[in-house]
Amino acid sequence: KPKPKPKPKPIPIPNPKPNQAAFELCDDDGTGAGGGSSASSTRKTPAFVRAHLAPLDDALGGGVPTGSISELVGPAGAGKTQMCLTLACACAAPKRCGGLESGVVFIDTEQRFSSQRLAEIARAKFPETLSPTSAPDAASAERELDALTSRVLVLTPSTLSEMLQRLNGLEEALIDRGVR
């Protein structure tokens, strides 16, 4: 009988401290810092966006990968929409509070997207910057929150053919909005 292979030991990933970046850096080709070409000729981009849930981020090896399409599935009431809104906030949040300050495409096939809920989650995740009661300046917090929500492009296709049409025309919007 062949011996079973030993299971690889997980590599612990430290949790981000408050105001620490919610992402790790990699080269544009996704190989990680210093992954092939010289640092001077390669632009650094975020490799992961953290969900701000340490066990999940650890299980995913640092967070949800950027620059790719991620599909979240599960039964009704499992928290899929909550997770997607949380990730949208983490992507669109200002860099100085740990976000990516990038564009987001949120495809809402059920037409239930709530910008109010997005704002609530953003205030809860980043109160020092986005909550009028916690931020040093309420007007500044409101401007930051408006900027965050404006980075989220919501698509609400109602048919499969409309979904395909939107996806086929998405490249330009991804580039224009700086979607990660």
Side-chain angles (χ1 to χ4, degrees), residues 89-146:
C89 288
C91 286
K95 289 180 182 178
R96 64 184 170 83
C97 69
L100 297 179
E101 202 167 324
S102 71
V104 175
V105 175
F106 191 104
I107 301 175
D108 178 21
T109 58
E110 296 179 345
Q111 283 123 20
R112 291 187 185 169
F113 181 85
S114 169
S115 57
Q116 181 178 355
R117 184 66 183 133
L118 179 72
E120 288 172 359
I121 292 169
R123 285 186 185 114
K125 291 291 179 186
F126 306 105
E128 68 283 350
T129 305
L130 302 174
S131 176
T133 57
S134 301
D137 174 18
S140 173
E142 196 60 35
R143 282 191 301 275
E144 289 278 8
L145 186 61
D146 286 345

Side-chain angles (χ1 to χ4, degrees), residues 25-59:
L25 296 177
C26 74
D27 296 330
D28 277 344
D29 63 2
T31 59
S37 56
S38 70
S40 62
S41 66
T42 306
R43 190 174 52 118
K44 302 292 183 190
T45 60
F48 300 97
V49 61
R50 294 192 177 276
H52 298 281
L53 299 168
L56 178 61
D57 289 336
D58 292 347

